[in-house]
Amino acid sequence: MRGRRGPWAALLVAAAVLVAVSGIITLAMGGSGAARVGLVRPRVASYWESLDGNLVRCGLCPRRCVVPPGGRGYCEVRENRDGVYYTLTYGNPCAVHVDPIEKKPFYHFLPTTASFSIATAGCNLDCKFCQNWHISQARPEELANYDLPPEELVEAAVRSGSPSIAYTYSEPTIFYEYMLDCAKLAHARGLRNVYHSNGFIEPAPLRELCEYLDAANVDLKGFTEQYYSDMTDGSLAPVLRSLKILKEEGVHLEITTLLIAGQNDDPETLAAMCRWIRDNLGASVPVHFSRFHPQHRLRNLPPTPLERLEVARNIALGEGLEYVYIGNVPGHEGNNTYCPVCSAELIHRIGYSVEVRELDAGRCSRCGTAIEGVWD
């Protein structure tokens, strides 16, 4: 594969997207594409069981919330109505955009292409550093949502010219039923499905989703249970389990760790994390160390110093990982893809300006090494 999206092309794409997305949605929906505050379409949820006293137990994520009548789960988007559990995020996304696939970030999946990207309100974690907290920590009725059922969403994606649909921004697990139905229709129309997730999901729904999932980028937020507890109100073990399942199911996998100085950048812990990735997922899984910028409840902390990101990358390479990236630092050499055998620069990146240089049909054009990824 050879191609280029230069800086002017990237600017033109961004400008066109701002104008075109609402038009795409409007065309797909017969002219009714405006977002409306409070739009909610309740639908009976998947993966739950009835308990005595009209209680329900959710089986979608490891919290396994027990919810009384009239109550909601931790994610705030699933509600017990008289002993029946409903999702409130079916067909009502609050964010609809066309993004570069590299924004997810995917560096080894269809580079230089666009991805039709959606999210709904809600999340099943509460990360202190969340960059999309205004939607992830909201209830669906609090936001302006699009009326976009799966058939119309897939039609909008086709009209946009995007070869993939990305379930992203907040946490796709909490709009599972919507995502799954969209993914099935997307495959039927020849589109790929990609998923940027926190990995905090139970095995059964994840394996069902994997039947229609082409790529996943999972946030491995740290590598200790203490960090997960303190910073996300979640736990590490289910995320590691999800990573193994995605690899077992043959889904293209990439991993992102948002590195926060003094919080999750201890060298010994990073080395242990990289060894775990190498030994359980393989040395060829792309890993992104992304720069933290003050957000949400951590606005008192400084941005991650560049040298901390470089140390993390060097540790990962030293532990045998083949593709290690530095994120949120445009122009750094750690954004580029290099052949793990001959060190040829395969893909050059400056922000979302991307040039494929020495990659041909998924192989290094200099030495012939097969490069992990989905390239065509």
Side-chain angles (χ1 to χ4, degrees), residues 24-357:
I24 291 165
I25 296 169
T26 299
L27 284 170
M29 297 171 61
S32 59
R36 303 202 304 274
V37 175
L39 174 66
V40 175
R41 295 278 187 254
R43 184 183 180 96
V44 176
S46 304
Y47 292 101
W48 60 278
E49 60 179 318
S50 298
L51 303 175
D52 292 342
N54 271 355
L55 296 171
V56 299
R57 178 185 288 119
C58 184
L60 183 59
C61 95
R63 295 189 185 280
R64 301 189 66 84
C65 296
V66 175
V67 184
R72 294 191 185 183
Y74 182 97
C75 61
E76 297 283 2
V77 303
R78 292 169 180 269
E79 186 171 272
N80 180 349
R81 298 185 174 184
D82 298 320
V84 179
Y85 210 35
Y86 284 84
T87 170
L88 308 180
T89 56
Y90 193 95
N92 55 320
C94 63
V96 182
H97 302 284
V98 178
D99 288 335
I101 194 72
E102 290 82 7
K103 185 178 179 181
K104 301 302 115 188
F106 286 103
Y107 278 11
H108 288 237
F109 188 87
L110 303 182
T112 77
T113 66
S115 190
F116 194 87
S117 304
I118 66 163
T120 73
C123 189
N124 58 354
L125 294 181
D126 184 11
C127 300
K128 293 179 179 178
F129 44 79
C130 182
Q131 64 178 357
N132 290 319
W133 57 271
H134 53 292
I135 63 173
S136 71
Q137 302 306 311
R139 289 182 161 204
E141 64 270 24
E142 297 170 347
L143 300 179
N145 302 319
Y146 294 98
D147 186 4
L148 200 59
E151 297 81 3
E152 294 176 2
L153 184 144
V154 173
E155 181 62 28
V158 170
R159 288 174 183 255
S160 77
S162 304
S164 64
I165 298 175
Y167 312 94
T168 181
Y169 303 134
S170 56
E171 173 45 51
T173 295
I174 58 87
F175 58 92
Y176 179 87
E177 297 84 359
Y178 183 38
M179 172 173 56
L180 183 61
D181 285 353
C182 289
K184 292 176 181 179
L185 292 173
H187 268 193
R189 295 294 298 273
L191 301 179
R192 310 284 184 91
N193 295 295
V194 306
Y195 161 84
H196 188 161
S197 172
N198 59 30
F200 203 62
I201 183 172
E202 287 287 81
L206 179 56
R207 289 191 187 276
E208 182 181 7
L209 178 65
C210 284
E211 296 179 34
Y212 305 95
L213 195 61
D214 299 288
N217 188 309
V218 174
D219 288 329
L220 182 54
K221 298 174 187 290
F223 204 63
T224 68
E225 290 290 356
Q226 190 64 53
Y227 182 83
Y228 262 83
S229 177
D230 292 346
M231 287 291 201
T232 77
D233 198 25
S235 56
L236 171 62
V239 180
L240 299 181
R241 179 182 63 197
S242 293
L243 288 168
K244 289 182 178 180
I245 290 172
L246 288 161
K247 191 66 176 178
E248 289 169 8
E249 295 287 346
V251 177
H252 171 74
L253 178 62
E254 304 193 23
I255 294 171
T256 297
T257 297
L258 183 71
L259 213 63
I260 306 175
Q263 302 296 324
N264 64 344
D265 64 342
D266 170 68
E268 291 186 5
T269 304
L270 288 175
M273 181 181 83
C274 294
R275 287 193 296 272
W276 186 92
I277 293 170
R278 181 196 67 205
D279 295 344
N280 291 275
L281 308 175
S284 63
V285 170
V287 174
H288 305 254
F289 290 110
S290 190
R291 188 180 204 175
F292 163 80
H293 291 285
Q295 293 281 354
H296 196 26
R297 298 201 298 275
L298 294 184
R299 296 181 187 181
N300 59 313
L301 296 183
T304 310
L306 177 57
E307 56 268 25
R308 299 291 184 93
L309 294 160
E310 291 173 334
V311 166
R313 181 170 184 261
N314 288 335
I315 288 171
L317 292 170
E319 293 294 342
L321 299 187
E322 295 176 346
Y323 308 105
V324 187
Y325 298 102
I326 289 177
N328 289 343
V329 186
H332 191 280
E333 66 177 8
N335 284 286
N336 304 325
T337 300
Y338 300 94
C339 176
V341 174
C342 74
S343 301
E345 187 180 295
L346 306 174
I347 304 176
H348 183 78
R349 302 178 183 87
I350 301 178
Y352 301 133
S353 174
V354 181
E355 181 182 359
V356 180
R357 290 183 172 176

